[in-house]
Amino acid sequence: MAVSGFEGFEKRLELHFFGDDNDPTVTTMALRLLDFESLENVLRVVQCTVVSAVGNHFFDAYVLSESSLFVYPTKIIIKTCGTTQLLKSIRPLIHLAKNLGLTICGCRYTRGTFIFPKSQPFPHINFKQEVIYIEENLPNNLCFRKASVMPSKNPSYSWHVFSAASDNGAHFSDGEFTVEVCMTELDRVLARKFFKTGGDSAAKEMTELTGIGNINPRALICDFVFDPCGYSMNGVDGDRYSTIHVTPEDGFSYASFEYVGSVYDDQDDIVETLKKAVHVFKPATVSVSTTSHRREVWTRVAHAMEPLGLKCRSFAMDEFPTAGTVVFQTFTAARRK
């Protein structure tokens, strides 16, 4: 492993808000009314920028210089890699939302274990510091709080979760689930496909060549290729997003895949989506976190991994206030060519 390199493992922050339900702009626009300059100012504090964007009737999706931002009427998800200072976005986002008549009612922060923890700046030096910083920046109405480090058999693959909610915790949808997949030691031949070779159409070509475009053929894809290597994409499908980020350098290769689904979807679709996404990279190690109020989601994960030659090595489950059940599973390749 390299002494130091680009930190692929992302930090992910999800903030939920509520406003006057009788005001139609709250349910249809609200946070989407934030002007681009305001968002740019928040991202500047985090230390990243917007490189590409797309939107539809339901939400706006931004590809960032370090990962992704999704803005719904009453929900913001921001995911950043490298040495970004993601948690510094909490206070300005709460302030901007307040100016729109919105009050924060839920917060969830998740991340894996950094490959290069000593390179992380304040407030991301360790999880304890992160939790203290989040708590100092959340208002008192978010009174139900919990922090947990979910272990695996390999200490390099722990899952860190902080959740906070107010007592009107109806903001996390019962039927919705989130899957966060982290992949390391990518197949070297496949990883090479994420080095830039073409011109203006390089991102589109990479999306098709690697099979990423087939993961969800319905999705509108907003993709971006970095120089000399690296790739990001956001998929937009109705009111749901998916996102992929790739750091292909040998020695610290990493890819992530995240998507939102519904427990009312065909259960085979969950398996197929995961299988297609992981197959793009053929990693030696995969960790999968599912956040849901229903159990059937995490049971499907192993069904997706086993046909790819990945065996479940560890399993951890924990409950979080109003956010639901988080299940963290790790898988490793049975044999690697």
Side-chain angles (χ1 to χ4, degrees):
M1 183 171 285
V3 175
S4 186
F6 187 78
E7 180 59 67
F9 273 92
E10 298 97 349
K11 315 160 182 100
R12 180 188 185 278
L13 179 68
E14 181 172 335
L15 300 176
H16 290 247
F17 300 86
F18 73 94
D20 182 356
D21 288 339
N22 296 319
D23 182 349
T25 60
V26 169
T27 51
T28 58
M29 289 301 286
L31 292 167
R32 297 182 70 189
L33 295 172
L34 289 172
D35 60 276
F36 187 62
E37 190 182 350
S38 296
L39 289 175
E40 277 190 314
N41 288 339
V42 174
L43 294 172
R44 195 173 296 121
V45 172
V46 174
Q47 296 189 330
C48 59
T49 56
V50 172
V51 295
S52 190
V54 69
N56 68 3
H57 181 66
F58 299 99
F59 70 103
D60 301 308
Y62 300 87
V63 175
L64 306 179
S65 54
E66 274 88 2
S67 303
S68 293
L69 165 69
F70 302 98
V71 182
Y72 287 79
T74 58
K75 174 172 73 176
I76 283 186
I77 296 147
I78 179 168
K79 184 170 183 168
T80 64
C81 55
T83 54
T84 48
Q85 296 167 288
L86 174 63
L87 296 179
K88 288 190 174 180
S89 67
I90 295 175
R91 192 180 287 262
L93 286 173
I94 291 173
H95 176 74
L96 289 170
K98 195 173 181 181
N99 290 343
L100 295 171
L102 299 172
T103 303
I104 188 167
C105 59
C107 167
R108 185 163 83 239
Y109 174 68
T110 54
R111 69 166 174 85
T113 300
F114 297 127
I115 302 171
F116 307 108
K118 291 193 167 106
S119 299
Q120 290 298 316
F122 176 85
H124 297 282
I125 291 165
N126 56 52
F127 187 55
K128 184 179 178 183
Q129 185 187 78
E130 289 173 315
V131 170
I132 291 168
Y133 187 87
I134 298 169
E135 296 208 296
E136 284 175 348
N137 284 279
L138 290 180
N140 293 333
N141 68 306
L142 271 68
C143 49
F144 301 103
R145 302 181 179 192
K146 181 173 178 177
S148 177
V149 179
M150 302 178 72
S152 74
K153 286 181 179 172
N154 182 341
S156 300
Y157 291 94
S158 299
W159 190 245
H160 305 71
V161 185
F162 174 87
S163 181
S166 59
D167 52 10
N168 67 337
H171 41 274
F172 291 108
S173 167
D174 264 1
E176 190 176 275
F177 65 82
T178 305
V179 180
E180 296 170 70
V181 183
C182 301
M183 298 167 269
T184 56
E185 296 174 73
L186 312 182
D187 178 275
R188 288 182 178 186
V189 174
L190 297 176
R192 279 190 208 116
K193 293 181 180 179
F194 294 95
F195 280 77
K196 189 174 183 180
T197 54
D200 294 343
S201 60
K204 191 172 186 296
E205 288 168 10
M206 207 174 272
T207 299
E208 294 311 314
L209 179 71
T210 57
I212 286 172
N214 297 326
I215 296 171
N216 177 5
R218 295 187 310 271
L220 168 66
I221 289 179
C222 181
D223 44 22
F224 191 86
V225 175
F226 296 91
D227 206 356
C229 64
Y231 169 91
S232 287
M233 84 81 168
N234 291 332
V236 173
D237 180 13
D239 61 349
R240 302 179 193 177
Y241 70 86
S242 59
T243 185
I244 288 175
H245 303 284
V246 188
T247 302
E249 292 99 321
D250 200 27
F252 49 96
S253 63
Y254 171 86
S256 68
F257 171 65
E258 178 181 334
Y259 83 108
V260 171
S262 168
V263 295
Y264 307 113
D265 293 344
D266 185 329
Q267 295 297 297
D268 289 337
D269 284 353
I270 298 170
V271 173
E272 283 307 305
T273 300
L274 271 176
K275 200 191 293 183
K276 284 181 192 173
V278 176
H279 186 65
V280 166
F281 304 100
K282 293 186 181 172
T285 305
V286 182
S287 68
V288 184
S289 166
T290 55
T291 304
S292 172
H293 286 274
R294 310 287 182 91
R295 288 178 175 256
E296 50 265 52
V297 180
W298 63 260
T299 60
R300 309 304 292 170
V301 173
H303 294 291
M305 299 299 150
E306 282 162 3
L308 301 174
L310 292 156
K311 302 284 183 210
C312 186
R313 303 299 182 192
S314 68
F315 176 97
M317 180 187 286
D318 209 343
E319 299 282 336
F320 291 84
T322 72
T325 303
V326 176
V327 173
F328 178 61
Q329 301 176 76
T330 61
F331 300 82
T332 58
R335 70 171 68 86
R336 190 69 185 263
K337 289 178 182 174

